[in-house]
Amino acid sequence: MLILQLLLMVLITQADKPDCTPQGHRVLPEMEKDGDLIIGGIFSFPCLTKIPKSFSFREFKFAHTMMFAIDEINRDTDIIPGIKLGYKIYNDCGSTDILRAVMTLVNGLDQSETGANCTKPPTVQAIIGHSGSTPTMSFAKIVGRFHIPVISHFATCACLSNRKEYPSFFRTIPSDYYQSRALAQLVRHFGWMWVGALSNKNDYGINGITTFIKAANEEGVCIEYSEAFESTSLYHEIIRIVNIIRTSTSKVIMAFMSHREIKILVDELYKQNITGLQWIGSDAWITDDSLADINGHTLLIGSIGFTVRNAQIPGLDLFLQEVNPSQFPSSIFLKDFWEHVFDCSLNPSEIRKTCNGSENLRDVQNSFTDLTDLRFSNNIYKAVYAVAHAINNLLSCDQNKSLNSNSSCLKLSINFTTAGRENVFFDNNGDSPARYELINLQSVNKGKMKVETIGYYDASLPKGQRFSINNVQVVWREGRHLVPVSKCSESCPPGTRKAVQKGKPVCCYDCILCPPGEISNNTDSINCLKCPIAQWSNTRGDACIPKEIEFFSYDEIMGILLALFSLVGVFFTIVIMLIFYIYRNTPIVRANNSELSFLLLFSLTLCFLCSLTFIGRPTEWSCMLRHTAFGITFVLCISCVLGKTIVVATLPGSNVMKWFGPLQQKLCVLTFALIQVLICAFWLILSPPFPYMNMDHYQEKIILECNLGSAIGFWTVLGYIGLLAVLCFVLAFLARKLPDNFNEAKFITFSMLIFCAVWITFIPAYVSSPGKFIVAVEIFAILVSSFGLLFCIFLPKCYVILLRPEMNTKKHVMTKMSNDIHL
């Protein structure tokens, strides 16, 4: 809509000024054609004042594309019928020439007389150009004050989208705002996290590289260095930048500059043999064929970058082939162009052959006649058609409507489709939609860079769908086929995390192993993740695995040894029981209630066997069995010893034996055991032991153990055993000097001393032992106290029975007893 308003204001302004007076020196256009309405063009052919002369065939083609589009519109009866478009195309050589050309187009006077009556609009309807952002900024701000539209085909600086500064600026090429972000996503896509950034020192380069750096940082990409220079910079400045590139560790360089700067830089890199760099180019140089002319062009093979999409312009080939010096006799550049292409002279010369303009460009192959890459020429084509459609829309509007801000004429918008089915429109900032092709410079053939489209970028799509890569072979730096790597630090493998190096960017880091119990299962993890409570990290630190469940089992040596000692204890007990059974009628066996001796041996057998319940995987039943069996069997054992102690502590002939005969002894044992049974029953009913996974003692493994359930129940059971043992020890100690032929008091005293010592030391050992060794301590205490009772009480009797049978007689016993009494 804005472009229509501008054109309308131009027409109104021109209608009010019939008398024109030219002022100042008139600048002649390079090429011009008369018409009812004039479109201006400003391009950068060579600066012919320089020696040697340089030729920009691409810019010359831009100018002829504009001329072709205007001629095509003039032949089309559907667009602005009855009105012929003309053009004035200027070739600039520096900012001064640009401003002079612009002011000439704004003034629009070709008459040298004063006071002439102007019957045609003296001011151009629009200006096409310039290719550079900085030159365009210099004159677009001025032209904007005259409300003349400026439509650029190549000026991409995002700053030109500022409507306050450049109210009449439009462009048919996307803003660098989108290109810079697309380049940042490109760098991130290929994993280049450590790159260098170079630009030319003007508005185009500074704005573009600044936006790129900001977008790259958002993508997690780090910039090792950022430098800027101009094609006019001093040589030592170029050398300084070359040295930075030489000493840097990044192998990918983002070059946001024009073809002039990149050629100067690459030529110096080639001289100093600095190779192995992956270049990422902005659209200002990535498709420029003049790159093939420099010595170091091989360094640029493999470069990638975004540019506008390619297109075809039907009929342009024939138009270019018909170019001839006779079309514009006053064009100095066309004359030089012709002499350069055909290596001749249009004027008589002794140095070169003479030509007369009859030569034909059909027989010439160069970048001017080549139509394989019309990306930016198509932008010129669209710009001219945008002006034509704007004029056509104004002329088609209802002439009877008032030309005010509310008129429907001012609400019209530019939106049309080209012959190549490309939709053309401008947003509120005068920008075109951001659609790019990702191209790859793959080789140099006959002085021309061969490019391949390897992907696309469309800023109008959702964020995750904007960037896509084609399934084509990509040529990387200097013709290689492997994707280059550019990182400040190597990737941290799974099992490690990144730790940023002090004073350096986040891309420079050390790889730190995850601590035990934490993992990282991705490359370049920032943090290590803690494993769930029932899991632990593997040796590589990249996965959580179930923790090892540990318990006291028969598979380990200590478990086997303790089980073996338990069975040995059972074996010895059974052997002694057999000996006592065989010699059951002898005085030494019958003395002191032989039935209690057999019950004691039986309970000792159970004590040895109950230790086996502590070995193996704890279950609900085994946990309840091991502690209750231990408590009851030991009470039964100590009760038998206590009964025997009471007997031996009584003097012969004492009345106590009348009240504590064999029956009373059995009832005493039964009563003591029954009390322990009741304690265990209450324990099992109220809070029984249960299997428990202990994850507190060890972080890397789980101790499967039996939780006591009620610590009070356990220590009550143990305390009751200790009470009986102490009572037994006291009685035996008091009776130690009684007649000793059949007196067991000394042996019982010694056995109880061992028993009490074992279980007193058991308490601190039990509390302080880690994990499964608590079970080993408990088994050890059971076995040692059982062996102490077995050997201290029964081994002396077995010695007499088997080795001193002469002492196992009633006569010997009575004689010894009588002597002891009289003493």
Side-chain angles (χ1 to χ4, degrees):
M1 181 179 72
L2 180 59
I3 192 171
L4 297 177
Q5 294 175 335
L6 294 171
L7 286 171
L8 191 58
M9 295 181 72
V10 170
L11 292 173
I12 295 172
T13 303
Q14 292 168 353
D16 294 337
K17 293 183 179 181
D19 295 326
C20 310
T21 302
Q23 300 291 331
H25 175 69
R26 176 172 177 259
V27 180
L28 296 176
E30 191 73 35
M31 293 168 284
E32 65 178 325
K33 181 179 180 179
D34 197 14
D36 299 319
L37 298 175
I38 304 299
I39 300 176
I42 300 179
F43 301 98
S44 294
F45 306 157
C47 195
L48 297 177
T49 59
K50 292 184 178 180
I51 306 271
K53 296 179 181 180
S54 60
F55 293 88
S56 176
F57 287 171
R58 182 167 73 167
E59 290 284 320
F60 197 47
K61 187 192 295 184
F62 290 164
H64 279 80
T65 303
M66 174 181 169
M67 295 157 54
F68 168 77
I70 291 175
D71 286 352
E72 189 177 69
I73 291 170
N74 287 336
R75 294 192 305 269
D76 192 341
T77 58
D78 294 329
I79 304 179
I80 54 176
I83 296 180
K84 296 298 181 183
L85 295 178
Y87 52 79
K88 292 181 181 180
I89 298 176
Y90 286 84
N91 171 30
D92 76 80
C93 184
S95 59
T96 303
D97 287 346
I98 293 175
L99 292 177
R100 283 177 180 174
V102 168
M103 296 312 297
T104 301
L105 289 172
V106 171
N107 290 329
L109 294 179
D110 290 336
Q111 308 296 330
S112 59
E113 298 82 15
T114 62
N117 187 9
C118 303
T119 57
K120 298 178 184 179
T123 303
V124 293
Q125 308 307 303
I127 298 176
I128 307 297
H130 180 277
S131 297
S133 293
T134 299
T136 303
M137 293 168 62
S138 66
F139 72 80
K141 188 179 295 186
I142 298 174
V143 174
R145 296 181 179 273
F146 295 93
H147 308 290
I148 298 175
V150 176
I151 307 177
S152 177
H153 59 288
F154 215 155
T156 57
C157 182
C159 54
L160 287 166
S161 298
N162 187 342
R163 270 284 172 256
K164 292 182 179 180
E165 295 289 332
Y166 312 99
S168 65
F169 177 78
F170 300 85
R171 51 184 158 196
T172 52
I173 188 171
S175 165
D176 281 338
Y177 175 86
Y178 301 102
Q179 182 185 191
S180 297
R181 279 158 175 74
L183 290 168
Q185 292 183 34
L186 172 69
V187 170
R188 184 67 179 86
H189 175 80
F190 289 110
W192 299 327
M193 311 305 293
W194 186 238
V195 301
L198 299 175
S199 70
N200 49 357
K201 198 178 292 184
N202 58 21
D203 297 289
Y204 167 76
I206 298 299
N207 281 278
I209 205 67
T210 301
T211 305
F212 167 78
I213 292 174
K214 180 180 178 182
N217 290 334
E218 292 173 357
E219 295 286 343
V221 177
C222 297
I223 308 300
E224 183 179 11
Y225 57 87
S226 178
E227 299 291 335
F229 69 100
E230 280 286 350
S231 57
T232 56
S233 297
L234 297 176
Y235 182 68
H236 72 83
E237 181 69 13
I238 306 298
I239 293 299
R240 184 186 69 83
I241 294 176
V242 168
N243 289 332
I244 291 175
I245 296 174
R246 185 205 310 275
T247 57
S248 67
T249 57
S250 59
K251 299 301 178 184
V252 175
I253 300 178
M254 173 67 235
F256 216 102
M257 56 185 64
S258 72
H259 60 93
R260 293 182 292 273
E261 285 79 19
I262 193 67
K263 287 192 286 188
I264 293 172
L265 180 62
V266 171
D267 186 63
E268 189 62 36
L269 291 172
Y270 178 77
K271 291 178 183 178
Q272 299 197 25
N273 195 28
I274 300 176
T275 60
L277 300 174
Q278 175 64 48
W279 293 91
I280 303 173
S282 60
D283 55 4
W285 68 266
I286 196 67
T287 58
D288 197 311
D289 284 334
S290 65
L291 298 175
D293 300 333
I294 60 175
N295 292 329
H297 66 264
T298 55
L299 299 182
L300 294 176
I301 293 177
S303 301
I304 60 175
F306 287 108
T307 186
V308 293
R309 296 188 177 185
N310 205 354
Q312 298 298 321
I313 305 177
L316 181 60
D317 53 345
L318 298 177
F319 184 83
L320 295 179
Q321 291 171 7
E322 294 174 356
V323 172
N324 192 277
S326 61
Q327 294 175 333
F328 304 99
S330 62
S331 174
I332 299 174
F333 176 78
L334 184 53
K335 175 186 174 183
D336 288 338
F337 167 78
W338 199 264
E339 292 178 345
H340 175 80
V341 170
F342 292 102
D343 193 20
C344 65
S345 175
L346 291 171
N347 299 316
S349 173
E350 296 179 357
I351 301 175
R352 294 191 295 182
K353 65 181 181 179
T354 303
C355 53
N356 55 16
S358 62
E359 297 79 14
N360 200 308
L361 289 175
R362 293 187 183 93
D363 304 324
V364 176
Q365 289 185 353
N366 57 25
S367 58
F368 178 75
T369 59
D370 178 45
L371 300 181
T372 57
D373 188 352
L374 295 177
R375 303 172 191 275
F376 304 107
S377 296
N378 186 52
N379 287 345
I380 294 281
Y381 186 78
K382 292 187 295 183
V384 174
Y385 265 87
V387 175
H389 277 277
I391 296 174
N392 186 68
N393 290 344
L394 283 174
L395 296 176
S396 301
C397 187
D398 186 0
Q399 299 297 325
N400 296 324
K401 292 187 177 181
S402 175
L403 298 177
N404 54 45
S405 58
N406 295 323
S407 172
S408 60
C409 293
L410 299 183
K411 296 180 181 179
L412 297 173
S413 61
I414 301 300
N415 194 329
F416 64 94
T417 303
T418 65
R421 296 183 179 180
E422 183 177 358
N423 183 235
V424 180
F425 63 91
F426 302 103
D427 63 15
N428 294 332
N429 295 322
D431 293 329
S432 292
R435 300 187 183 100
Y436 298 101
E437 285 182 350
L438 177 62
I439 64 169
N440 177 217
L441 303 185
Q442 297 197 339
S443 63
V444 177
N445 186 18
K446 297 180 181 180
K448 185 175 183 298
M449 302 294 286
K450 178 187 176 183
V451 301
E452 183 74 27
T453 300
I454 62 173
Y456 298 95
Y457 183 88
D458 190 343
S460 64
L461 297 176
K463 188 173 182 180
Q465 304 174 17
R466 294 175 183 173
F467 183 52
S468 62
I469 296 291
N470 295 342
N471 187 21
V472 295
Q473 179 66 47
V474 180
V475 175
W476 297 108
R477 51 184 178 180
E478 299 169 13
R480 304 175 189 177
H481 295 286
L482 293 177
V483 180
V485 177
S486 185
K487 295 183 177 181
C488 180
S489 302
E490 291 297 322
S491 296
C492 290
T496 61
R497 65 172 179 86
K498 296 195 296 186
V500 177
Q501 297 174 0
K502 188 176 181 179
K504 292 187 177 181
V506 294
C507 298
C508 301
Y509 48 80
D510 297 317
C511 296
I512 307 298
L513 289 174
C514 289
E518 297 183 11
I519 66 159
S520 64
N521 52 11
N522 295 319
T523 302
D524 289 336
S525 294
I526 299 177
N527 296 309
C528 295
L529 304 176
K530 286 188 176 182
C531 290
I533 190 170
Q535 295 182 339
W536 195 251
S537 57
N538 59 5
T539 54
R540 297 185 301 273
D542 59 359
C544 290
I545 58 175
K547 287 183 179 180
E548 177 189 357
I549 297 179
E550 187 178 79
F551 54 88
F552 199 70
S553 68
Y554 293 101
D555 296 331
E556 48 191 303
I557 296 177
M558 186 177 293
I560 294 172
L561 290 176
L562 292 177
L564 182 62
F565 279 115
S566 176
L567 295 177
V568 168
V570 173
F571 173 75
F572 280 131
T573 305
I574 294 174
V575 168
I576 293 174
M577 192 180 297
L578 288 175
I579 294 173
F580 267 55
Y581 180 77
I582 294 171
Y583 295 94
R584 63 185 177 278
N585 295 320
T586 60
I588 202 167
V589 174
R590 294 181 64 187
N592 199 357
N593 198 336
S594 60
E595 293 180 356
L596 282 182
S597 297
F598 282 106
L599 184 57
L600 177 58
L601 289 171
F602 173 73
S603 62
L604 284 173
T605 304
L606 295 180
C607 288
F608 283 118
L609 291 176
C610 82
S611 65
L612 297 177
T613 62
F614 288 82
I615 306 175
R617 187 183 187 91
T619 63
E620 186 176 352
W621 287 103
S622 66
C623 286
M624 291 189 292
L625 178 64
R626 65 174 58 172
H627 290 98
T628 53
F630 154 72
I632 294 173
T633 55
F634 260 78
V635 164
L636 183 63
C637 180
I638 299 300
S639 297
C640 294
V641 175
L642 182 59
K644 296 174 72 66
T645 305
I646 294 174
V647 172
V648 299
T650 304
L651 291 172
S654 173
N655 292 329
V656 175
M657 291 304 298
K658 295 180 180 180
W659 302 102
F660 200 73
L663 179 60
Q664 286 77 13
Q665 295 173 20
K666 295 174 185 179
L667 290 174
C668 179
V669 171
L670 182 61
T671 301
F672 288 143
L674 186 59
I675 294 173
Q676 185 72 308
V677 170
L678 291 175
I679 294 174
C680 291
F682 279 114
W683 183 15
L684 296 179
I685 292 172
L686 297 177
S687 182
F690 58 89
Y692 169 69
M693 290 188 175
N694 187 346
M695 302 179 188
D696 300 328
H697 200 85
Y698 296 103
Q699 292 182 330
E700 70 279 7
K701 57 186 176 181
I702 299 174
I703 303 298
L704 185 58
E705 59 187 16
C706 286
N707 188 289
L708 296 176
S710 172
I712 296 176
F714 173 73
W715 292 109
T716 302
V717 169
L718 205 62
Y720 182 65
I721 296 173
L723 177 64
L724 294 181
V726 170
L727 180 61
C728 187
F729 172 75
V730 171
L731 291 176
F733 179 78
L734 294 176
R736 68 189 185 282
K737 292 186 178 181
L738 294 177
D740 60 351
N741 285 79
F742 296 103
N743 191 359
E744 303 174 79
K746 292 181 180 179
F747 302 120
I748 291 175
T749 301
F750 190 63
S751 67
M752 285 298 101
L753 183 62
I754 295 175
F755 186 91
C756 292
V758 168
W759 287 102
I760 289 173
T761 56
F762 163 80
I763 294 174
Y766 181 85
V767 172
S768 61
S769 295
K772 64 181 181 180
F773 296 106
I774 291 178
V775 179
V777 169
E778 202 165 353
I779 295 173
F780 183 79
I782 293 173
L783 292 179
V784 171
S785 56
S786 298
F787 274 112
L789 290 173
L790 180 67
F791 289 150
C792 291
I793 294 176
F794 293 99
L795 199 59
K797 292 185 177 182
C798 290
Y799 170 76
V800 172
I801 293 172
L802 297 178
L803 299 179
R804 301 292 297 274
E806 69 278 5
M807 297 177 64
N808 191 12
T809 61
K810 189 175 181 179
K811 180 180 179 182
H812 176 77
V813 172
M814 296 303 294
T815 303
K816 181 65 176 174
M817 189 189 320
S818 176
N819 293 333
D820 291 337
I821 292 172
H822 287 93
L823 290 174

